[in-house]
Amino acid sequence: MEILEFLFADEQMFTTITLILLIALLVGNIVVDKLKKYEDIDTNGAVTLMDGNDLILLDVREKRERKAGYIAGDIHIPLASVKGKLSSLDKRKKILVYCRSGSRSAHIAGLLTRNEFENVYSLKGGFQAWKKAKLPIKT
């Protein structure tokens, strides 16, 4: 009871509201993570996926970003064009999406799963993580 009086005292209202917002954000992140239908994988997981022959490696970076290099065997479809080219991708195959840092690939991975692609992965850390791991790149 004393805790409630403390939390709802006029001089503590800002702290209480901040605490409630932080808890809501934490719960929201947990719920969103549980609802997402794609998997974030690191570079080791990506290499393991690449061992199979049923994988589409999708680079969603802009054309100018590819000058820094790309992963061999990928398909390049810039982010803005992916939605219009979904029909060109085989839904039966696994799809590993990558971008520069991992945020755009997560967005596209979500788009793919919302469009009935079932085996979708996003490269955590993107091409930067790939290069940092000293994995092979094409230029």
Side-chain angles (χ1 to χ4, degrees):
M1 194 66 168
E2 289 179 25
I3 292 174
L4 289 177
E5 288 175 16
F6 172 76
L7 288 174
F8 292 106
D10 288 340
E11 59 273 4
Q12 295 299 327
M13 199 50 68
F14 177 76
T15 304
T16 301
I17 291 171
T18 303
L19 180 62
I20 290 169
L21 287 174
L22 287 173
I23 291 170
L25 286 172
L26 177 64
V27 169
N29 280 340
I30 291 169
V31 169
V32 166
D33 199 43
K34 294 292 181 198
L35 292 177
K36 77 178 183 184
K37 295 179 181 174
Y38 65 89
E39 186 179 338
D40 291 311
I41 60 171
D42 62 13
T43 54
N44 291 331
V47 169
T48 301
L49 267 181
M50 290 174 182
D51 287 342
N53 58 359
D54 63 338
L55 177 73
I56 297 170
L57 181 58
L58 179 60
D59 179 359
V60 296
R61 298 175 299 160
E62 297 302 315
K63 187 175 182 178
R64 62 178 159 61
E65 292 177 283
R66 285 179 65 87
K67 291 177 183 170
Y70 58 93
I71 302 172
D74 70 1
I75 296 171
H76 178 239
I77 305 175
L79 177 91
S81 303
V82 172
K83 196 170 188 178
K85 296 192 177 191
L86 289 177
S87 62
S88 70
L89 300 172
D90 188 345
K91 290 183 179 184
R92 295 168 297 184
K93 291 189 174 189
K94 296 174 185 167
I95 300 181
L96 172 58
V97 187
Y98 78 94
C99 63
R100 184 180 62 81
S101 65
S103 58
R104 288 176 286 175
S105 60
H107 172 74
I108 294 301
L111 172 74
L112 291 169
T113 59
R114 288 189 301 278
N115 283 276
E116 300 173 3
F117 288 83
E118 292 182 14
N119 298 302
V120 181
Y121 305 85
S122 176
L123 180 59
K124 233 186 287 184
F127 189 68
Q128 290 177 331
W130 187 265
K131 280 176 61 175
K132 187 176 180 182
K134 296 184 178 8
L135 291 164
I137 60 170
K138 295 280 189 180
T139 52

